Each structure stands twice: as C-alpha cells, then as structure tokens.
C-alpha cells in the first residue's frame, strides 16, 4: 500500500474505517438506484503526487464537504459506466434535450450517493457534515478533480472503487481530507 506513510497510524485507521463505511453506503445507494448489485473495494491511501488523472474516469460529480470532516468528495464514472448509468436512470423518460436529462440525472445521482456516503460517516463520528452544491464535470472529470485537489494544496487522498460483478459499472469514490494547519 504505497503512500500510507504520510498518515499517522491513528489517522489511517480512522480514515480507513470512515471511508469503508461511506463506500458501503455509497454502494447501497447505487444498488438501489440502478437495481444492480454494486460492491466497494478496500480503501486505498495515496499521496497527492501518486494520484494521477486517468482519462478513463470521464464524468464526475464533485462536492466540498464541511463540518466535522472537511475536504473534497468526488464520484467519478468511467465512460462505459456513465452511459449505462444514464440509460438506467432516464429509461423511458422523454426529453426535448437528452443531454440535459442526462446531466440532471447524474447530478441527482451524485447528490443521493454523496448524501448517503457522508451521512453515514457523520453518524459514525457523531457530527455534522454538509455538502456543497455539486459540480458536474461531463468530460475529463478526473483531470478537473486532480486540478481541484492540487489547488487546495492537499497532500493525500483515500479512494475506493465501486463495481458490479461484471465490472460493467465502475465508479471511483475519492475523499481528499483538508490538510491540517501546521
């Protein structure tokens, strides 16, 4: 597990537990919304310079979390996953502007998944976490996320991948905790 040296043992253990709880609730939300079993991987800890943009994560919904736990929360979807998720979410819905319907569905999906994720974490720590209005990125989301990550001077992140058994749906859930003041 590379990159874990920047985390104290206590911080790593706490973030691992909270990320696992959040990812579990995120996968349940995806399962409910997509009517398809989605499971989380184990969290991975990465240093800022180890986290690289990957163009396979094209679409994303990014939030700022504030409160008991602060930082960036990103839900990134692969190209194929985005298409499949959009199809499942807007199935049978007729719209004059299909692009607008897809964007609206993805924002709502992001809101629901992020709310489930951060509510579970807030319940676990006995605090309150508020999410910003989502930023939807429809192209090169991982590049945009890396830019936001680095602009904040963040040093590390924790990520999980959420997938179905066929790996048709692949989602990357990433939390970038705010750097501690020195």
């Amino acid at each position: 597990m590379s990159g874990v040296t920047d985390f104290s043992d206590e911080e790593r253990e706490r973030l691992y537990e909270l990320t696992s709880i959040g990812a579990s609730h995120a996968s349940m939300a995806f399962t409910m919304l997509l009517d398809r079993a989605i499971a989380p991987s184990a969290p991975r800890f990465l240093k800022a310079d180890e986290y690289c943009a990957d163009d396979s994560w094209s679409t994303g919904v990014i939030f700022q979390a504030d409160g008991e736990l602060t930082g960036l929360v990103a839900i990134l979807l692969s190209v194929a996953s985005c298409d499949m998720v959009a199809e499942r979410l807007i199935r049978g819905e007729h719209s004059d502007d299909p692009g607008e319907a897809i964007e609206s569905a993805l924002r709502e999906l992001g809101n629901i998944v992020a709310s489930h994720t951060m509510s579970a974490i807030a319940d676990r720590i006995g605090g309150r976490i508020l999410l910003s209005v989502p930023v939807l990125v429809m192209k090169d989301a991982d590049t945009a996320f890396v830019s936001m990550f680095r602009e904040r001077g963040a040093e590390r992140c924790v990520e999980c991948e959420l997938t179905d058994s066929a790996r048709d749906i692949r989602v990357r859930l990433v939390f970038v905790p705010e750097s501690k003041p020195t």
Side-chain angles (χ1 to χ4, degrees), residues 140-159:
D140 299 324
D142 205 34
T143 301
F145 177 65
V146 167
S147 176
M148 294 170 86
F149 184 146
R150 299 223 166 102
E151 282 174 9
R152 295 171 168 275
E155 299 171 358
R156 59 211 192 266
C157 71
V158 186
E159 70 172 10

Side-chain angles (χ1 to χ4, degrees), residues 51-55 57-58 76 140-147 172:
Y51 190 92
C52 299
D54 177 347
D55 62 4
W57 302 100
S58 64
L76 305 169
D140 299 324
D142 205 34
T143 301
F145 177 65
V146 167
S147 176
R172 184 184 274 179

Side-chain angles (χ1 to χ4, degrees), residues 39-176:
S41 68
R44 283 181 0 134
F45 297 86
L46 298 167
K47 294 181 200 174
D49 60 351
E50 293 175 324
Y51 190 92
C52 299
D54 177 347
D55 62 4
S56 63
W57 302 100
S58 64
T59 303
V61 186
I62 305 167
F63 299 85
Q64 169 66 40
D66 289 306
E68 192 69 29
L69 195 61
T70 61
L72 289 176
V73 178
I75 301 165
L76 305 169
L77 297 136
S78 68
V79 175
S81 299
C82 183
D83 293 342
M84 185 176 286
V85 166
E87 180 181 306
R88 286 179 170 269
L89 292 175
I90 61 174
R91 176 181 24 209
E93 192 175 302
H94 299 288
S95 174
D96 292 337
D97 185 355
E100 187 176 304
I102 290 169
E103 288 180 15
S104 176
L106 290 171
R107 271 191 191 88
E108 190 58 29
L109 172 87
N111 275 324
I112 292 168
V113 172
S115 293
H116 274 73
T117 302
M118 298 314 282
S119 289
I121 291 171
D123 289 347
R124 176 68 178 104
I125 60 179
R128 191 173 166 164
I129 302 171
L130 301 173
L131 293 171
S132 67
V133 173
V135 173
L136 175 65
V137 183
M138 293 296 292
K139 185 176 179 189
D140 299 324
D142 205 34
T143 301
F145 177 65
V146 167
S147 176
M148 294 170 86
F149 184 146
R150 299 223 166 102
E151 282 174 9
R152 295 171 168 275
E155 299 171 358
R156 59 211 192 266
C157 71
V158 186
E159 70 172 10
C160 285
E161 191 167 319
L162 312 174
T163 60
D164 64 348
S165 60
R167 294 189 56 82
D168 291 332
I169 297 176
R170 293 180 52 229
V171 178
R172 184 184 274 179
L173 178 65
V174 188
F175 177 63
V176 179

